[in-house]
Amino acid sequence: MSSFNDQENILARRPTWAEIDLNHLAANFKRVKQRVGPVARVMAVVKANAYGHGAVACARRLVSEGADWFGVALPEEAIELRSAGITQPVLCLGGFWPGQAAACIQHQLTPVVYRLDMFEALNQAALNAGVVADVHVKVDTGMGRLGIRFDGLSEFVAALERFRNVRIDGIMSHLAAADDASCQPLTRDQIQRFEDAVVVFRDHGYRPTHLHLANSAGVYGHREAWGNMVRPGGVLYGLWRDVLPLTTTKPELLPVMSLHTRISLLKWVPPGETIGYGCTFEASRRSLIATLPVGYHDGYMRGLSNRAHVIVRGMYAPVVGRISMDLTLIDVTNVSGVEVDDQVTLLGWDRQNAELKIVAEDLARIVGTLSYEVTCGISERVPRVYISADYTN
Ligand SMILES: *Cc1c(COP(=O)(O)O)cnc(C)c1O
């Protein structure tokens, strides 16, 4: 699959690609850094291949922008960053699995831990290597997912003393609904429980350096949740319309991913004929239909059939008929001068007419999901083309 990322041969393959604007990523990161100022460090969350944007390329750029930490889900993802020469601390947000303790130590990863047997495994691996392993302990303050429940913490902390080769470098939790005003009481409880949890550790003599619980919604919506490090993901990629509290003043964040293809066939279809699987679209007039070499395997979701639009020659054109695995049809009857090979924007801004834009949040709303699932879903079959030089347009 790695050959798909070979940018030099892009002209020799299917013209469907995702552009990743690293300048926009850098600008978004700067916004977050300015927002939290000197109060908190910024851990850039680059899990899930940086929400589909390409973890290595994004992390490299963020290093040069001053990212203090990186957050990934799996040790496998952290090792990918290490192999690419990233030396910053990397937190494995999901913890690690049996058999991965030695790898965490070998690659100097910082796992999140939430079970005694994880301490046990890491302590043993650290002892074997003659080192002390750093961990961040996760407290469940109300998400109900990973973490030691806040109300059972004292007992847990009391059991940690024997793990002499593990150092608690951080305490963390995760906000469940920081974007939702109707869940304010829960968010407030979570913040209070987190502060109480930190006291429990202090009472047992621990002095962890890093205290953190704010995701993107926490960074923008809950100043009290910043601790001394924040963990934004979505906002770095310019995803915020379905992520931040509605009360947030419109942030100046720029979308990082756009998705493009080119028309591969044009044909006139007479009125009354249907097109695509399942006869879901019938031409009501003589229609000019363009075939696009992109489909749901690329992450252009089938749920967008007959509902989304794309941008061609500075105009919106509707998706017509069912999106299939590798192909999509659009109606370009109204697009004057349209030709085979014209560039089509499925996600992103039109270069000729910046008024026209399709953001991931729009596509997400159509299919009833979150913008994150849209960018994460752009599959490996779609090569990422990175834009990093300064350009004006
Ligand atoms: C994914 C994740 C984040 C980042 O969340 P965003 O909403 O993308 O900012 C932060 N913390 C944890 C534990 C996560 O899993």
Side-chain angles (χ1 to χ4, degrees), residues 97-327:
W97 276 261
Q100 293 186 316
C104 286
I105 285 163
Q106 185 198 333
H107 295 281
Q108 293 188 297
L109 313 181
T110 309
V112 166
V113 292
Y114 41 84
R115 286 195 326 244
L116 280 182
D117 65 297
M118 298 173 94
F119 274 91
E120 188 90 59
L122 213 57
N123 193 63
Q124 190 57 53
L127 199 61
N128 295 346
V131 298
V132 171
D134 276 358
V135 297
H136 287 201
V137 182
K138 185 159 193 177
V139 180
D140 174 13
T141 55
M143 177 76 156
R145 208 174 63 174
L146 289 183
I148 307 129
R149 272 191 66 92
F150 65 96
D151 51 3
L153 195 58
S154 291
E155 206 186 329
F156 187 90
V157 178
L160 299 181
E161 210 185 336
R162 62 196 165 99
F163 303 119
R164 299 295 164 122
N165 287 63
V166 177
R167 192 179 75 97
I168 297 174
D169 175 64
I171 302 170
M172 59 160 323
S173 189
H174 194 39
L175 297 171
D179 60 321
D180 189 342
S182 71
C183 296
Q184 275 279 22
L186 173 64
T187 303
R188 257 185 246 119
D189 283 349
Q190 285 202 273
I191 295 167
Q192 185 59 52
R193 289 165 184 166
F194 184 71
E195 283 167 10
D196 295 346
V198 172
V199 171
V200 173
F201 280 91
R202 293 220 167 105
D203 286 349
H204 283 84
Y206 295 103
R207 296 281 177 275
T209 310
H210 300 102
L211 306 173
H212 50 105
L213 74 162
N215 53 5
S216 292
V219 170
Y220 278 82
H222 300 274
R223 166 72 189 80
E224 347 63 87
W226 289 355
N228 59 18
M229 184 152 76
V230 294
R231 306 188 306 261
V235 290
L236 299 180
Y237 310 106
L239 306 172
W240 60 270
R241 293 168 187 83
D242 52 9
V243 172
L244 299 185
L246 294 172
T247 50
T248 309
T249 45
K250 192 171 174 288
E252 291 177 67
L253 299 168
L254 304 165
V256 176
M257 181 190 286
S258 58
L259 179 65
H260 309 274
T261 188
R262 289 184 185 280
I263 293 176
S264 55
L265 186 63
L266 276 172
K267 67 182 66 169
W268 285 100
V269 171
E273 274 193 21
T274 64
I275 55 174
Y277 285 122
C279 315
T280 63
F281 179 85
E282 183 182 310
S284 60
R285 57 172 179 180
R286 185 168 176 264
S287 305
L288 186 57
I289 303 297
T291 303
L292 307 179
V294 62
Y296 61 75
H297 179 61
D298 300 299
Y300 198 62
M301 294 168 290
R302 191 168 174 275
L304 298 169
S305 299
N306 290 307
R307 300 175 76 187
H309 52 252
V310 301
I311 304 167
V312 199
R313 287 192 180 244
M315 283 187 72
Y316 287 124
V319 170
V320 288
R322 287 251 170 87
I323 291 167
S324 44
M325 194 178 287
D326 317 300
L327 298 168

